[in-house]
Amino acid sequence: MINRLDRFVYLKGRQIKAEYRDQIVEAYQGNPFIEALPCRLSQDQLFQMLYSVPRFTGDINRLNSEERVELVQQIKPSYWQPLSTHFERYRNLYNMIKIGYQSRNPLTPIYQRQMAIGLDRILAAGTDEFGRNLAGNLQTAQQMADIGLSGMGKSKSYERILSLFPQVIHHSEYHREPFPCKQVVWLHIECPSNKSVGALCRNFYWAVDKLLGTTYYEDLAEKDGRAEVLAKRMSKVAGQISLGVLVIDEIQRINRGYSGGDEKMIDFITELTNSIGIPIVLIGTFKALYLFKSSLANTRRGIPDGYAENITDRMRDDWEWELFLKGMWDLQYTNKFTALTPDLKAAMYFHSLGIPDFAVKLFMHVQCRAILYEDEEEITVNLIEEVANKTFRLVQPIFQRIRGGEEIDPAEYEDLKPDWISFKEYLMEAQHRITIDGNLSEEHKLILLQHNRRILIDQLTVFAMKMGCSGDVALTYAEKIEVQNRDAGNDIELLYLEIAKLVFENKSNVSKETEEVEEKTKQKKKPTKIKNPDLDESDIRFIVSQGNLNNMTIDEALRDSGLVGEYDEFV
Amino acid sequence: MNRLKDGRGQGQGESYIPYIQANDNKVASEGWLTRTPGWHSNRIHHTLSKYEYQYFLVQEWTDQITDIREQYPLPYEDTQRIAEKLNIRHPHLDGHDVVLTSDFMLTVIDDNDSLNDQARTFKPIHKLTKRTLELFEIERRYYKEVGIQWKVVFDVGRPINLIKNIDWLHDAKRADTRPGMDSEVVNMIAEPIFEKLKQYNTKLSISKSCLRCDDHIGLEPGTSMFMVKHMLANKRWVTDMTVLIRESAPLVIDLPGQREMK
């Protein structure tokens, strides 16, 4: 059971008792859900709340190098420089929540009518041409998408901004009338990796259950259905818990294959906002862009009016970048403080390309390196370059292209990120360096080599699988070939050739062996019984997939091939 | 497994026992367990969903069908072998393989007047998944091997008026289901009731006509209505079954021969 629960990652927030505040906007007055929300923060206040640096008040020079490396490690989790985009996000989010609740005032007759009609029926009926639902209520929910490079701090900023809001507000009395109600202001869920829309829904139920102690997971999670059904069920629950905003993170992880194609994904997402009116924020990397491109082109899909899209590319070399870098630059734990010169600034931008995550990592690595190996603990342009070339070795080629002014599909450099040498490995390697001084560069090479080796094996495995091997077999082939040809260097063509040979040899061997075996068993089995189920043209799965190619639904495909009986075929 | 030893899934007509019965605590996907006395087989039929029940009703109405065996089990060894060959996971419960059943095994009179088994599996369209297709494929292959025609039945395009009408008159098929009735009484009162109803039927609703008829002939109230259902169920009287029968509306009833003449 524990494993099962581990899958679900979600952000947890505060729970508070409701306190009601007067509202300026007339439409908001008398709505306990809105009046219970915290006051809007000004830009200054927000920056005060968000700004954070690792805290250290002692004298750096009295610490030894190991202790200072420990401090360096604190930069990544704690350093947070609020930027203007963060305020924008906050404003958007705050507005979305308020506006979303506007149409859901629990004290109005129309809300009661919705409850009386039943959310099921409202969802089923959809909206009329004015956007009103069955109860005549006009939904005010908005939808927002936040797309950006990984490492831009999207998720982080939402996490920080969301934690400024209470997560659950407990209402008990409103204007001396009893009003027992739990209001869930926000819910942040992450898409499980490479899973379907269904898994996302389960994640949602699980988060709600953890929050409120309900049993939605048990009741609803294992029921399957089409995307529309899942979405309806989910928005129904969201309506029941008076959800303010639903934040779905890592939306790019939803696998198109599992979920029945792009179309269905888009349907699912629009269904969620349309009828019940829950504001939704979708966060994802450029890989998720496909979800939005076509939806925007296609207005009949009923994207709500209040749809906002926020696409973040890497930072430009302007005042914000300077602010970010300056703030970080103060966090030096070297025994000599290096001031930020224009040259250093340029070098940092050049090597990190203005991606905050890269910049922070680079800065940390540079400091580590300075503290552990350099005689003078000083940050220089040369040092930055040296470290960057090592740390970002695998992304260098693409970085070069970007620097060369080439237009690159952002989705392309996405894939490279996981291949960095992580900070831990870097440190591990560093330890070795101190103890076995002479072998430094060899050690370093080894780590890189192993890294490359794994990538190579992956490539070869994929290749072998394309040639029709099963996963396990493909992997053994790939490893074998890689070991045999390690001296051959990086001639990947040669390796592919070798794999191909191996696959063909073994294939013919296998078929010979099976033939021999069959002969030995006294020809009990007829030779036609060669295992190849996929070639049977009357196989239902084949029929359906063929039908799919011709844009037929499953039932149409089956009907077309005469496999469907009508109720009254014998009457 | 033990169910097969209990005689489940075996026999024919009256002696057939469905492999899965409504009282098995089997998870009925739609929560529609029904136990209905059958016309063809003279035994209680078990259907596990609304749509299965409706399909069952239509087959009951059909004269071409002589027996309906629902929840018909496929031989375990065969389905396992097929599943293995296709590299499909055999249906299982908590890791143990379970017997695969087809929803209906129909005995049909074909054009040469000989009896013929045909299998049908019901599936609502929205429940079609990759997995159901795999299970379909196991069934299809099995029935191909044994030479039985097999088809899928979907919930779309079902003749809903016909179904509702059959449901309405289904329990009146046998005269003795109503106290004090038997085939002798039926034969005695059929003609007077028919004559009387013919007089009323253009203006009055069928329920009022029947009550008047009861009153006029001196029968217990409700008898005429039962007679209408009974005679229609046995096809001794006929009406247009594709039009929804409502008790609050007039109903045109004819004798079989007359109707064809019109």
Side-chain angles (χ1 to χ4, degrees):
Chain A
M1 194 64 192
I2 286 175
N3 281 339
R4 196 169 165 168
L5 307 189
D6 269 352
R7 310 202 297 249
F8 304 107
V9 187
Y10 67 98
L11 188 70
K12 232 180 166 177
R14 288 172 293 141
Q15 307 214 356
I16 59 162
K17 259 196 173 152
E19 274 173 43
Y20 303 102
R21 295 170 188 82
D22 290 336
Q23 296 295 315
I24 317 156
V25 182
E26 209 165 294
Y28 295 163
Q29 287 164 3
N31 185 336
F33 284 162
I34 292 179
E35 292 185 2
L37 292 173
C39 297
R40 186 189 286 271
L41 298 172
S42 70
Q43 192 158 356
D44 285 347
Q45 281 172 317
L46 179 83
F47 285 1
Q48 287 278 318
M49 306 274 274
L50 287 183
Y51 184 71
S52 87
V53 283
R55 290 168 66 92
F56 175 70
T57 44
D59 183 358
I60 291 168
N61 289 322
R62 298 178 65 175
L63 301 173
N64 66 27
S65 56
E66 288 300 319
E67 284 165 331
R68 279 180 288 135
V69 171
E70 214 176 313
L71 279 169
V72 172
Q73 275 181 286
Q74 286 306 307
I75 298 178
K76 173 113 167 103
S78 325
Y79 174 61
W80 185 262
Q81 174 67 50
L83 302 170
S84 62
T85 53
H86 299 149
F87 183 69
E88 246 162 60
R89 283 192 180 123
Y90 172 78
R91 191 165 51 197
N92 274 339
L93 206 61
Y94 194 90
N95 289 344
M96 274 175 89
I97 294 177
K98 268 197 174 169
I99 294 174
Y101 277 128
Q102 194 186 321
S103 63
R104 289 187 289 156
N105 184 350
L107 301 179
T108 53
I110 206 159
Y111 184 88
Q112 302 295 344
R113 197 184 311 152
Q114 286 188 43
M115 288 298 170
I117 291 177
L119 294 174
D120 278 330
R121 278 184 56 199
I122 290 179
L123 286 170
T127 49
D128 67 9
E129 68 244 70
F130 306 109
R132 291 165 203 274
N133 66 19
L134 200 58
N137 202 354
L138 193 64
Q139 295 301 349
T140 50
Q142 297 177 315
Q143 192 179 343
M144 186 163 79
D146 206 314
I147 302 290
L149 277 177
S150 53
M152 287 302 296
K154 296 178 305 295
S155 311
K156 256 276 148 52
S157 58
Y158 274 102
E159 268 172 37
R160 286 191 179 236
I161 292 166
L162 282 175
S163 61
L164 298 175
F165 294 93
Q167 191 172 16
V168 183
I169 299 177
H170 295 263
H171 297 267
S172 56
E173 207 185 63
Y174 181 74
H175 291 279
R176 301 216 181 78
E177 294 284 329
F179 177 55
C181 179
K182 281 182 194 170
Q183 173 192 4
V184 179
V185 180
W186 53 267
L187 199 65
H188 174 271
I189 53 175
E190 249 173 48
C191 284
S193 58
N194 273 340
K195 285 294 165 55
S196 59
V197 170
L200 174 68
C201 296
R202 282 194 274 283
N203 218 335
F204 170 78
Y205 297 131
W206 177 252
V208 174
D209 285 355
K210 281 302 261 188
L211 206 56
L212 301 178
T214 45
T215 55
Y216 289 119
Y217 184 86
E218 231 164 75
D219 298 343
L220 301 171
E222 299 302 338
K223 286 186 187 164
D224 61 356
R226 290 164 301 167
E228 302 97 275
V229 180
L230 291 171
K232 281 188 177 145
R233 225 183 275 140
M234 197 162 138
S235 33
K236 187 178 162 192
V237 171
Q240 283 167 347
I241 62 174
S242 314
L243 185 59
V245 63
L246 178 64
V247 182
I248 305 178
D249 204 346
E250 310 283 7
I251 191 79
Q252 79 280 1
R253 282 197 198 156
I254 284 216
N255 188 309
R256 301 190 218 184
Y258 272 106
S259 314
D262 310 0
E263 289 282 303
K264 278 204 175 156
M265 272 302 303
I266 295 161
D267 283 351
F268 175 76
I269 287 163
T270 31
E271 279 280 347
L272 273 180
T273 15
N274 270 0
S275 297
I276 271 277
I278 309 292
I280 292 185
V281 179
L282 300 164
I283 311 175
T285 61
F286 283 103
K287 270 191 195 162
L289 212 54
Y290 76 93
L291 288 176
F292 306 101
K293 271 183 188 151
S294 43
S295 68
L296 283 180
N298 211 343
T299 39
R300 76 184 159 77
R301 290 221 164 272
I303 296 284
D305 292 339
Y307 178 80
E309 218 174 29
N310 186 5
I311 293 181
T312 341
D313 202 355
R314 57 207 181 86
M315 282 167 89
R316 273 196 302 268
D317 192 3
D318 56 9
W319 64 272
E320 272 209 331
W321 167 253
E322 194 164 334
L323 185 73
F324 172 80
L325 198 62
K326 269 187 181 158
M328 186 172 74
W329 207 258
D330 291 334
L331 307 170
Q332 286 186 38
Y333 301 100
T334 48
N335 55 19
K336 187 176 173 191
F337 186 85
T338 318
L340 181 62
T341 64
D343 282 350
L344 286 170
K345 213 185 101 186
M348 284 298 287
Y349 188 81
F350 181 81
H351 290 290
S352 68
L353 284 177
I355 300 170
D357 195 41
F358 279 69
V360 172
K361 277 197 177 126
L362 180 61
F363 186 60
M364 285 161 72
H365 287 199
V366 166
Q367 283 200 50
C368 253
R369 169 95 197 211
I371 292 168
L372 292 173
Y373 315 121
E374 302 298 318
D375 303 331
E376 286 282 307
E377 294 186 18
E378 197 180 357
I379 302 170
T380 63
V381 174
N382 277 344
L383 187 67
I384 292 176
E385 199 175 320
E386 208 177 306
V387 173
N389 284 340
K390 265 175 196 160
T391 323
F392 302 147
R393 212 188 103 143
L394 291 159
V395 279
Q396 278 309 329
I398 212 151
F399 271 29
Q400 290 294 351
R401 284 164 62 197
I402 296 171
R403 288 191 196 112
E406 217 175 302
E407 280 290 317
I408 289 179
D409 185 4
E412 210 179 319
Y413 44 81
E414 201 103 301
D415 294 327
L416 289 162
K417 197 197 161 197
D419 295 331
W420 299 349
I421 306 173
S422 70
F423 191 69
K424 255 195 188 151
E425 272 176 40
Y426 191 88
L427 273 184
M428 231 166 63
E429 177 205 356
Q431 301 296 327
H432 280 279
R433 287 185 170 213
I434 295 162
T435 45
I436 2 167
D437 198 57
N439 288 337
L440 289 188
S441 41
E442 278 303 304
E443 287 286 331
H444 190 173
K445 259 187 202 159
L446 203 67
I447 285 197
L448 280 177
L449 210 66
Q450 273 171 350
H451 228 86
N452 287 344
R453 194 176 159 239
R454 217 184 54 226
I455 294 165
L456 190 63
I457 289 179
D458 282 351
Q459 279 177 352
L460 293 178
T461 313
V462 170
F463 182 72
M465 275 162 81
K466 275 185 191 152
M467 295 191 59
C469 298
S470 68
D472 298 343
V473 180
L475 188 64
T476 32
Y477 286 172
E479 278 178 347
K480 200 169 161 188
I481 293 293
E482 197 274 333
V483 172
Q484 280 173 2
N485 297 285
R486 204 172 269 179
D487 298 333
N490 291 328
D491 192 353
I492 195 111
E493 301 267 301
L494 178 83
L495 296 183
Y496 279 151
L497 202 68
E498 290 289 324
I499 281 273
K501 268 189 210 164
L502 200 62
V503 173
F504 279 126
E505 270 171 32
N506 282 288
K507 256 194 186 159
S508 46
N509 284 349
V510 168
S511 49
K512 260 182 217 162
E513 276 169 28
T514 45
E515 271 168 32
E516 281 166 18
V517 170
E518 270 174 20
E519 276 167 26
K520 276 176 194 167
T521 49
K522 292 172 192 170
Q523 281 99 16
K524 260 188 182 174
K525 289 175 188 170
K526 285 172 194 167
T528 47
K529 270 200 175 178
I530 290 170
K531 281 190 186 175
N532 216 340
D534 292 335
L535 290 179
D536 190 339
E537 279 185 17
S538 48
D539 190 305
I540 286 180
R541 295 166 297 171
F542 179 76
I543 291 170
V544 169
S545 67
Q546 282 306 100
N548 227 332
L549 294 178
N550 298 327
N551 278 329
M552 284 198 277
T553 57
I554 298 177
D555 56 304
E556 282 167 353
L558 291 179
R559 192 161 274 142
D560 208 43
S561 50
L563 281 167
V564 175
E566 299 302 335
Y567 268 63
D568 45 2
E569 61 180 314
F570 301 110
V571 174
Chain B
M1 262 339 86
N2 286 330
R3 289 188 188 154
L4 287 175
K5 286 182 200 150
D6 293 344
R8 297 267 188 104
Q10 291 153 48
Q12 279 196 340
E14 199 171 342
S15 67
Y16 175 81
I17 311 172
Y19 186 73
I20 298 168
Q21 299 192 340
N23 47 356
D24 279 340
N25 291 331
K26 153 97 164 68
V27 190
S29 40
E30 302 294 335
W32 254 78
L33 301 167
T34 59
R35 278 175 280 190
T36 319
W39 292 4
H40 300 309
S41 63
N42 200 22
R43 69 173 173 84
I44 304 278
H45 285 271
H46 298 244
T47 53
L48 303 182
S49 76
K50 177 172 102 182
Y51 298 126
E52 283 180 26
Y53 174 65
Q54 294 183 340
Y55 185 78
F56 166 78
L57 285 179
V58 178
Q59 309 322 312
E60 287 272 77
W61 179 253
T62 310
D63 297 323
Q64 239 189 313
I65 288 174
T66 59
D67 190 18
I68 303 170
R69 281 168 285 166
E70 70 281 9
Q71 304 305 332
Y72 184 83
L74 276 57
Y76 187 57
E77 296 77 18
D78 289 326
T79 54
Q80 262 186 337
R81 175 176 48 76
I82 292 169
E84 201 173 317
K85 197 171 113 194
L86 293 175
N87 205 8
I88 295 175
R89 180 86 176 87
H90 194 269
H92 58 98
L93 188 69
D94 300 331
H96 299 288
D97 284 4
V98 295
V99 170
L100 188 63
T101 61
S102 292
D103 292 327
F104 296 100
M105 178 62 82
L106 310 171
T107 308
V108 187
I109 305 174
D110 65 12
D111 299 339
N112 309 326
D113 274 353
S114 58
L115 292 177
N116 202 332
D117 279 348
Q118 296 199 14
R120 292 290 180 271
T121 293
F122 179 79
K123 203 74 190 167
I125 275 186
H126 72 270
K127 289 218 172 160
L128 286 173
T129 61
K130 210 171 138 240
R131 177 65 180 158
T132 42
L133 291 181
E134 289 180 356
L135 298 180
F136 283 171
E137 182 60 17
I138 297 180
E139 281 184 76
R140 189 187 69 84
R141 295 219 176 204
Y142 169 72
Y143 286 118
K144 201 180 165 195
E145 281 178 14
V146 296
I148 289 177
Q149 191 211 52
W150 169 86
K151 279 182 183 175
V152 189
V153 180
F154 290 131
D155 53 338
V156 293
R158 43 187 215 283
I160 196 69
N161 284 347
L162 177 63
I163 290 168
K164 284 187 175 163
N165 292 346
I166 301 169
D167 195 18
W168 177 70
L169 50 79
H170 188 263
D171 56 2
K173 169 89 171 175
R174 268 183 286 277
D176 50 20
T177 45
R178 188 176 168 87
M181 291 289 267
D182 57 36
S183 50
E184 213 184 321
V185 180
V186 168
N187 288 333
M188 277 159 59
I189 61 175
E191 206 168 327
I193 291 178
F194 183 79
E195 293 300 320
K196 210 73 209 154
L197 288 179
K198 267 288 170 198
Q199 286 176 17
Y200 300 131
N201 71 28
T202 44
K203 289 167 226 136
L204 278 178
S205 73
I206 184 68
S207 57
K208 278 186 191 155
S209 306
C210 285
L211 284 172
R212 285 200 189 178
C213 189
D214 290 333
D215 192 43
H216 185 85
I217 304 179
L219 294 165
E220 201 181 315
T223 311
S224 298
M225 185 59 106
F226 176 82
M227 280 298 292
V228 170
K229 292 184 186 180
H230 176 76
M231 296 301 274
L232 286 173
N234 288 288
K235 298 180 186 166
R236 292 170 66 181
W237 295 349
V238 290
T239 185
D240 186 357
M241 287 294 277
T242 59
V243 178
L244 184 65
I245 299 173
R246 286 181 300 155
E247 294 191 0
S248 56
L251 179 69
V252 183
I253 296 170
D254 292 302
L255 295 171
Q258 286 179 344
R259 192 170 179 79
E260 270 153 34
M261 267 155 37
K262 279 181 193 173

